[in-house]
PDB file of all heavy atoms in Angstrom:
ATOM      1  N   LEU D   6      84.193  93.145 182.210  1.00 88.00           N
ATOM      2  CA  LEU D   6      84.312  93.289 180.773  1.00 88.00           C
ATOM      3  C   LEU D   6      85.757  93.618 180.399  1.00 88.00           C
ATOM      4  O   LEU D   6      86.302  93.095 179.415  1.00 88.00           O
ATOM      5  CB  LEU D   6      83.387  94.418 180.315  1.00 88.00           C
ATOM      6  CG  LEU D   6      83.058  94.507 178.839  1.00 88.00           C
ATOM      7  CD1 LEU D   6      82.221  93.330 178.432  1.00 88.00           C
ATOM      8  CD2 LEU D   6      82.320  95.790 178.548  1.00 88.00           C
ATOM      9  N   ARG D  18      84.903  97.427 173.707  1.00 87.00           N
ATOM     10  CA  ARG D  18      83.815  97.620 172.768  1.00 87.00           C
ATOM     11  C   ARG D  18      83.444  96.310 172.087  1.00 87.00           C
ATOM     12  O   ARG D  18      82.273  95.941 171.958  1.00 87.00           O
ATOM     13  CB  ARG D  18      84.236  98.665 171.725  1.00 87.00           C
ATOM     14  CG  ARG D  18      83.344  98.745 170.532  1.00 87.00           C
ATOM     15  CD  ARG D  18      81.963  99.183 170.997  1.00 87.00           C
ATOM     16  NE  ARG D  18      80.965  98.901 170.023  1.00 87.00           N
ATOM     17  CZ  ARG D  18      80.411  99.815 169.240  1.00 87.00           C
ATOM     18  NH1 ARG D  18      80.797 101.066 169.356  1.00 87.00           N
ATOM     19  NH2 ARG D  18      79.503  99.486 168.374  1.00 87.00           N
ATOM     20  N   TYR D  47      83.163  84.913 182.932  1.00 87.00           N
ATOM     21  CA  TYR D  47      82.616  86.264 182.998  1.00 87.00           C
ATOM     22  C   TYR D  47      81.100  86.288 182.943  1.00 87.00           C
ATOM     23  O   TYR D  47      80.484  85.560 182.179  1.00 87.00           O
ATOM     24  CB  TYR D  47      83.175  87.102 181.844  1.00 87.00           C
ATOM     25  CG  TYR D  47      82.437  88.399 181.638  1.00 87.00           C
ATOM     26  CD1 TYR D  47      82.601  89.451 182.543  1.00 87.00           C
ATOM     27  CD2 TYR D  47      81.585  88.575 180.566  1.00 87.00           C
ATOM     28  CE1 TYR D  47      81.919  90.646 182.356  1.00 87.00           C
ATOM     29  CE2 TYR D  47      80.902  89.763 180.366  1.00 87.00           C
ATOM     30  CZ  TYR D  47      81.069  90.798 181.270  1.00 87.00           C
ATOM     31  OH  TYR D  47      80.399  91.976 181.086  1.00 87.00           O
ATOM     32  N   ARG D  54      75.044  97.762 183.863  1.00 87.00           N
ATOM     33  CA  ARG D  54      74.272  97.909 182.630  1.00 87.00           C
ATOM     34  C   ARG D  54      73.070  98.809 182.874  1.00 87.00           C
ATOM     35  O   ARG D  54      72.746  99.682 182.061  1.00 87.00           O
ATOM     36  CB  ARG D  54      73.820  96.522 182.164  1.00 87.00           C
ATOM     37  CG  ARG D  54      72.871  96.553 181.008  1.00 87.00           C
ATOM     38  CD  ARG D  54      72.530  95.158 180.546  1.00 87.00           C
ATOM     39  NE  ARG D  54      73.649  94.498 179.906  1.00 87.00           N
ATOM     40  CZ  ARG D  54      73.750  93.180 179.751  1.00 87.00           C
ATOM     41  NH1 ARG D  54      72.805  92.403 180.248  1.00 87.00           N
ATOM     42  NH2 ARG D  54      74.762  92.649 179.141  1.00 87.00           N
ATOM     43  N   ARG D  57      73.806 102.455 183.170  1.00 88.00           N
ATOM     44  CA  ARG D  57      74.083 103.000 181.862  1.00 88.00           C
ATOM     45  C   ARG D  57      72.806 103.172 181.027  1.00 88.00           C
ATOM     46  O   ARG D  57      72.561 104.202 180.434  1.00 88.00           O
ATOM     47  CB  ARG D  57      75.057 102.041 181.148  1.00 88.00           C
ATOM     48  CG  ARG D  57      75.655 102.550 179.886  1.00 88.00           C
ATOM     49  CD  ARG D  57      76.320 103.860 180.138  1.00 88.00           C
ATOM     50  NE  ARG D  57      75.792 104.789 179.186  1.00 88.00           N
ATOM     51  CZ  ARG D  57      76.523 105.491 178.341  1.00 88.00           C
ATOM     52  NH1 ARG D  57      77.834 105.441 178.397  1.00 88.00           N
ATOM     53  NH2 ARG D  57      75.958 106.274 177.482  1.00 88.00           N
TER      54      ARG D  57
ATOM     55  P    DG P  12      83.910  96.418 189.333  1.00 92.84           P
ATOM     56  OP1  DG P  12      83.679  95.140 190.037  1.00 92.84           O
ATOM     57  OP2  DG P  12      85.275  96.841 188.989  1.00 92.84           O
ATOM     58  O5'  DG P  12      83.060  96.414 187.989  1.00 92.84           O
ATOM     59  C5'  DG P  12      81.709  96.008 188.041  1.00 92.84           C
ATOM     60  C4'  DG P  12      81.027  96.358 186.748  1.00 92.84           C
ATOM     61  O4'  DG P  12      81.050  97.786 186.568  1.00 92.84           O
ATOM     62  C3'  DG P  12      81.698  95.769 185.499  1.00 92.84           C
ATOM     63  O3'  DG P  12      80.700  95.087 184.772  1.00 92.84           O
ATOM     64  C2'  DG P  12      82.255  96.985 184.763  1.00 92.84           C
ATOM     65  C1'  DG P  12      81.294  98.075 185.219  1.00 92.84           C
ATOM     66  N9   DG P  12      81.833  99.425 185.173  1.00 92.84           N
ATOM     67  C8   DG P  12      83.128  99.827 185.382  1.00 92.84           C
ATOM     68  N7   DG P  12      83.293 101.122 185.285  1.00 92.84           N
ATOM     69  C5   DG P  12      82.018 101.613 184.992  1.00 92.84           C
ATOM     70  C6   DG P  12      81.586 102.931 184.775  1.00 92.84           C
ATOM     71  O6   DG P  12      82.240 103.973 184.801  1.00 92.84           O
ATOM     72  N1   DG P  12      80.222 102.980 184.511  1.00 92.84           N
ATOM     73  C2   DG P  12      79.399 101.877 184.457  1.00 92.84           C
ATOM     74  N2   DG P  12      78.112 102.110 184.197  1.00 92.84           N
ATOM     75  N3   DG P  12      79.793 100.636 184.660  1.00 92.84           N
ATOM     76  C4   DG P  12      81.113 100.571 184.921  1.00 92.84           C
ATOM     77  P    DC P  13      80.949  94.434 183.356  1.00 92.84           P
ATOM     78  OP1  DC P  13      80.270  93.145 183.358  1.00 92.84           O
ATOM     79  OP2  DC P  13      82.376  94.520 183.001  1.00 92.84           O
ATOM     80  O5'  DC P  13      80.140  95.408 182.381  1.00 92.84           O
ATOM     81  C5'  DC P  13      78.732  95.463 182.529  1.00 92.84           C
ATOM     82  C4'  DC P  13      78.212  96.790 182.036  1.00 92.84           C
ATOM     83  O4'  DC P  13      79.104  97.826 182.472  1.00 92.84           O
ATOM     84  C3'  DC P  13      78.183  96.911 180.528  1.00 92.84           C
ATOM     85  O3'  DC P  13      76.880  96.530 180.072  1.00 92.84           O
ATOM     86  C2'  DC P  13      78.467  98.382 180.276  1.00 92.84           C
ATOM     87  C1'  DC P  13      78.944  98.930 181.613  1.00 92.84           C
ATOM     88  N1   DC P  13      80.234  99.654 181.555  1.00 92.84           N
ATOM     89  C2   DC P  13      80.231 101.028 181.361  1.00 92.84           C
ATOM     90  O2   DC P  13      79.150 101.606 181.201  1.00 92.84           O
ATOM     91  N3   DC P  13      81.412 101.695 181.348  1.00 92.84           N
ATOM     92  C4   DC P  13      82.562 101.033 181.530  1.00 92.84           C
ATOM     93  N4   DC P  13      83.707 101.728 181.520  1.00 92.84           N
ATOM     94  C5   DC P  13      82.589  99.618 181.722  1.00 92.84           C
ATOM     95  C6   DC P  13      81.411  98.978 181.724  1.00 92.84           C
ATOM     96  P    DT P  14      76.659  96.320 178.519  1.00 92.84           P
ATOM     97  OP1  DT P  14      75.376  95.617 178.379  1.00 92.84           O
ATOM     98  OP2  DT P  14      77.883  95.786 177.907  1.00 92.84           O
ATOM     99  O5'  DT P  14      76.485  97.821 177.997  1.00 92.84           O
ATOM    100  C5'  DT P  14      75.260  98.481 178.280  1.00 92.84           C
ATOM    101  C4'  DT P  14      75.289  99.871 177.688  1.00 92.84           C
ATOM    102  O4'  DT P  14      76.541 100.530 178.038  1.00 92.84           O
ATOM    103  C3'  DT P  14      75.183  99.928 176.165  1.00 92.84           C
ATOM    104  O3'  DT P  14      74.306 101.003 175.873  1.00 92.84           O
ATOM    105  C2'  DT P  14      76.608 100.223 175.720  1.00 92.84           C
ATOM    106  C1'  DT P  14      77.101 101.102 176.867  1.00 92.84           C
ATOM    107  N1   DT P  14      78.561 101.149 177.117  1.00 92.84           N
ATOM    108  C2   DT P  14      79.169 102.372 177.233  1.00 92.84           C
ATOM    109  O2   DT P  14      78.578 103.422 177.118  1.00 92.84           O
ATOM    110  N3   DT P  14      80.526 102.333 177.510  1.00 92.84           N
ATOM    111  C4   DT P  14      81.302 101.191 177.663  1.00 92.84           C
ATOM    112  O4   DT P  14      82.496 101.277 177.908  1.00 92.84           O
ATOM    113  C5   DT P  14      80.595  99.937 177.517  1.00 92.84           C
ATOM    114  C7   DT P  14      81.340  98.657 177.665  1.00 92.84           C
ATOM    115  C6   DT P  14      79.281  99.969 177.254  1.00 92.84           C
ATOM    116  P    DT P  15      73.673 101.139 174.424  1.00 92.84           P
ATOM    117  OP1  DT P  15      72.287 101.572 174.605  1.00 92.84           O
ATOM    118  OP2  DT P  15      74.003  99.933 173.660  1.00 92.84           O
ATOM    119  O5'  DT P  15      74.506 102.361 173.813  1.00 92.84           O
ATOM    120  C5'  DT P  15      74.578 103.579 174.527  1.00 92.84           C
ATOM    121  C4'  DT P  15      75.544 104.507 173.830  1.00 92.84           C
ATOM    122  O4'  DT P  15      76.893 104.196 174.222  1.00 92.84           O
ATOM    123  C3'  DT P  15      75.504 104.396 172.302  1.00 92.84           C
ATOM    124  O3'  DT P  15      75.720 105.686 171.761  1.00 92.84           O
ATOM    125  C2'  DT P  15      76.686 103.498 172.017  1.00 92.84           C
ATOM    126  C1'  DT P  15      77.658 104.036 173.068  1.00 92.84           C
ATOM    127  N1   DT P  15      78.794 103.153 173.405  1.00 92.84           N
ATOM    128  C2   DT P  15      79.939 103.730 173.912  1.00 92.84           C
ATOM    129  O2   DT P  15      80.062 104.923 174.078  1.00 92.84           O
ATOM    130  N3   DT P  15      80.941 102.838 174.201  1.00 92.84           N
ATOM    131  C4   DT P  15      80.913 101.460 174.037  1.00 92.84           C
ATOM    132  O4   DT P  15      81.882 100.772 174.333  1.00 92.84           O
ATOM    133  C5   DT P  15      79.689 100.938 173.516  1.00 92.84           C
ATOM    134  C7   DT P  15      79.557  99.456 173.293  1.00 92.84           C
ATOM    135  C6   DT P  15      78.698 101.797 173.221  1.00 92.84           C
ATOM    136  P    DA P  16      74.476 106.424 171.047  1.00 92.84           P
ATOM    137  OP1  DA P  16      74.179 107.504 171.986  1.00 92.84           O
ATOM    138  OP2  DA P  16      73.460 105.397 170.699  1.00 92.84           O
ATOM    139  O5'  DA P  16      74.889 107.115 169.695  1.00 92.84           O
ATOM    140  C5'  DA P  16      76.220 107.241 169.419  1.00 92.84           C
ATOM    141  C4'  DA P  16      76.810 108.552 169.967  1.00 92.84           C
ATOM    142  O4'  DA P  16      77.832 108.220 170.944  1.00 92.84           O
ATOM    143  C3'  DA P  16      77.524 109.346 168.902  1.00 92.84           C
ATOM    144  O3'  DA P  16      77.723 110.688 169.296  1.00 92.84           O
ATOM    145  C2'  DA P  16      78.849 108.610 168.813  1.00 92.84           C
ATOM    146  C1'  DA P  16      79.075 108.171 170.268  1.00 92.84           C
ATOM    147  N9   DA P  16      79.563 106.787 170.350  1.00 92.84           N
ATOM    148  C8   DA P  16      78.864 105.642 170.067  1.00 92.84           C
ATOM    149  N7   DA P  16      79.573 104.538 170.225  1.00 92.84           N
ATOM    150  C5   DA P  16      80.813 105.003 170.651  1.00 92.84           C
ATOM    151  C6   DA P  16      82.006 104.323 170.984  1.00 92.84           C
ATOM    152  N6   DA P  16      82.137 103.008 170.943  1.00 92.84           N
ATOM    153  N1   DA P  16      83.053 105.082 171.346  1.00 92.84           N
ATOM    154  C2   DA P  16      82.928 106.414 171.401  1.00 92.84           C
ATOM    155  N3   DA P  16      81.857 107.157 171.115  1.00 92.84           N
ATOM    156  C4   DA P  16      80.830 106.374 170.735  1.00 92.84           C
ATOM    157  P    DC P  17      78.164 111.755 168.164  1.00 92.84           P
ATOM    158  OP1  DC P  17      78.078 113.108 168.761  1.00 92.84           O
ATOM    159  OP2  DC P  17      77.434 111.428 166.926  1.00 92.84           O
ATOM    160  O5'  DC P  17      79.705 111.385 167.942  1.00 92.84           O
ATOM    161  C5'  DC P  17      80.625 111.603 168.999  1.00 92.84           C
ATOM    162  C4'  DC P  17      81.989 111.124 168.592  1.00 92.84           C
ATOM    163  O4'  DC P  17      82.079 109.689 168.756  1.00 92.84           O
ATOM    164  C3'  DC P  17      82.345 111.415 167.122  1.00 92.84           C
ATOM    165  O3'  DC P  17      83.628 112.007 167.100  1.00 92.84           O
ATOM    166  C2'  DC P  17      82.340 110.027 166.476  1.00 92.84           C
ATOM    167  C1'  DC P  17      82.772 109.161 167.649  1.00 92.84           C
ATOM    168  N1   DC P  17      82.420 107.719 167.548  1.00 92.84           N
ATOM    169  C2   DC P  17      83.338 106.740 167.979  1.00 92.84           C
ATOM    170  O2   DC P  17      84.428 107.123 168.431  1.00 92.84           O
ATOM    171  N3   DC P  17      83.017 105.420 167.877  1.00 92.84           N
ATOM    172  C4   DC P  17      81.837 105.076 167.384  1.00 92.84           C
ATOM    173  N4   DC P  17      81.555 103.774 167.321  1.00 92.84           N
ATOM    174  C5   DC P  17      80.882 106.044 166.940  1.00 92.84           C
ATOM    175  C6   DC P  17      81.213 107.335 167.032  1.00 92.84           C
TER     176       DC P  17
END
Side-chain angles (χ1 to χ4, degrees):
Chain D
L6 196 67
R18 167 63 198 256
Y47 167 73
R54 172 177 290 160
R57 191 55 233 236

